[in-house]
Structures are given as structure tokens and as C-alpha cells.
Amino acid sequence: MPTACLLQNVKAWLIGELTAAVAADGTLSEEQLKEFQVAREKGLAELLKARLQPWVDGDKQKFIEEAQAEMAGLLIEPFGIEILQCVGYVYQHKANMLLGLHHSHLKLPGHIASLRQQGHTFLRRVRAQVAVAKAAEFTERYERERQSANNSSLNEEGFPLFINSLWAVSVLDIESTLRHVVTLVVVDESVPKDVRAARAKGIAVLGKIFQEA
């Protein structure tokens, strides 16, 4: 797989395609949205499997070098650091959770990781609600004051609020999608158990590298 291919496709599937779906402005049925989501998850799962193959084959050095190159390539992209942190967190924690649930005798590490994930998701939702509320409050104030002679300061204040709210909501969708993707890759009964375990370990390493950004 070419360098930076995986994360570039993550951007295409999770941001570009999602934007197109939102732009449909309600014209997609619930069934079509479900089909779209399943296609996103399956497409990303296949990309992730291919990305993990060097690790599964034992070529860990190549795997790590490619991951570091991906990270460096995405750092110069818009929202690159934010995407790396988001994707890296989900990869590392979801992979460790599945390793603990499916590849340990007591399964306790998996349950602990699951509780941490629930807490993280709760905080993400709270932040998204706060960001959206601030953007809505600003919109109301802007509508009241837009007739004034000088509202340039309002424009400057509003832009980061809307960007923040858009990103906070997008993160919820991205993280939810990637958790499903990691599950598809790690709980894949078409391959032997040792391959599934290797994939989970590789995903955790990939997540750790991305978070170093």
C-alpha cells in the first residue's frame, strides 16, 4: 500500500463522503444512510487489513516505517493533527479492548478498556453538545446584531465557534465508525485466531504512533 494511503482514504471516507451525504439535505432515506454507513465501514476495514499485512507477516520494521511516513504526510494536511489524534486513540484503545476480551483468559483487561472507552465517549458527547450550544447561541446573537454598522468582530468570533462545533460532532461519527471498523478487522473469523491477534496488536501500535503526532 502506498505511503499515506490509509489515512488519505480515512479522510475521503469519513470527511469527504460524509459531507456529500449531509449535503443531500435529508434526501437520503434511513435505509440509504444505513447502506452508506455499512459501505464506509467495509471499505475502511479492507484498507486497514491491507495496511496491517506487513505486521501480520512479521515485517514489523516496514510496518512502523510506513506508519511514521503516514503520520508525517498527514501532519501537513488541514486538520491533520486532529485526525491523527482521533484515529490513533480509537485504534489503540479499541484494539487493546478486543485483545483483552478475546485473547486473554480472564478478559479483565478488555472490560477495563471498555469502561474507559465509555467514559471517553461520554466526554466527547458532552463537548459536542457544549460546542453546538455555543454556536447556536452565537447565531441568535448574530441575527440580533447583524444590522449594526460594524459586525466584523462578530464574524471573526463566529468562525472558530462553527468550526469547533462541526469538528466536535464529526469526531463522534468518526470514532464510532472506526470502532466498528476495528471490530470487523479483529473479529474476522475468516482468518485464524493468531492472525486476528496479530492484527489487534498491529492496530494498537499504529494507534500509538499516530498519537505521537
Side-chain angles (χ1 to χ4, degrees):
M1 171 173 291
T3 298
C5 178
L6 177 62
L7 284 183
Q8 292 298 339
N9 277 280
V10 167
K11 289 184 68 179
W13 280 85
L14 295 181
I15 298 176
E17 295 282 359
L18 180 58
T19 301
V22 172
D25 195 22
T27 58
L28 296 178
S29 68
E30 184 176 346
E31 188 62 32
Q32 287 174 317
L33 287 172
K34 286 180 180 178
E35 291 175 359
F36 172 72
Q37 178 66 12
V38 169
R40 289 166 75 196
E41 292 172 5
K42 287 183 177 179
L44 286 167
E46 291 305 312
L47 287 168
L48 185 54
K49 288 176 187 177
R51 178 66 186 81
L52 292 165
Q53 201 55 48
W55 180 276
V56 174
D57 293 339
D59 194 347
K60 296 181 180 179
Q61 186 61 34
K62 176 184 177 183
F63 176 84
I64 291 171
E65 288 174 357
E66 288 183 349
Q68 291 171 337
E70 286 183 60
M71 180 183 70
L74 201 65
L75 281 174
I76 61 175
E77 295 283 335
F79 284 96
I81 292 177
E82 290 83 357
I83 292 173
L84 283 165
Q85 292 290 328
C86 175
V87 174
Y89 178 88
V90 175
Y91 278 0
Q92 185 175 17
H93 288 267
K94 183 65 176 182
N96 284 334
M97 188 188 83
L98 293 173
L99 275 171
L101 288 174
H102 297 280
H103 299 280
S104 68
H105 294 296
L106 296 178
K107 300 185 179 182
L108 184 59
H111 291 299
I112 293 173
S114 178
L115 290 173
R116 287 176 178 167
Q117 178 183 291
Q118 290 174 30
H120 171 82
T121 302
F122 174 78
L123 288 175
R124 284 289 199 197
R125 287 174 178 165
V126 170
R127 288 171 186 164
Q129 290 170 354
V130 170
V132 170
K134 286 182 177 179
E137 181 183 352
F138 171 82
T139 301
E140 292 178 3
R141 183 155 62 92
Y142 182 83
E143 289 297 323
R144 290 195 304 267
E145 301 179 19
R146 68 176 178 171
Q147 302 301 328
S148 65
N150 183 12
N151 60 8
S152 59
S153 62
L154 279 177
N155 291 332
E156 292 174 2
E157 178 188 348
F159 183 73
L161 285 174
F162 285 111
I163 292 296
N164 261 354
S165 63
L166 179 61
W167 175 250
V169 173
S170 297
V171 164
L172 288 174
D173 177 74
I174 292 170
E175 290 193 350
S176 173
T177 297
L178 288 181
R179 281 194 290 270
H180 293 156
V181 168
V182 173
T183 300
L184 286 173
V185 172
V186 175
V187 189
D188 177 8
E189 296 186 353
S190 69
V191 296
K193 187 174 182 179
D194 61 330
V195 172
R196 300 197 294 270
R199 285 178 176 177
K201 291 174 183 175
I203 293 171
V205 170
L206 195 58
K208 184 178 180 181
I209 291 172
F210 288 166
Q211 288 182 94
E212 289 173 357

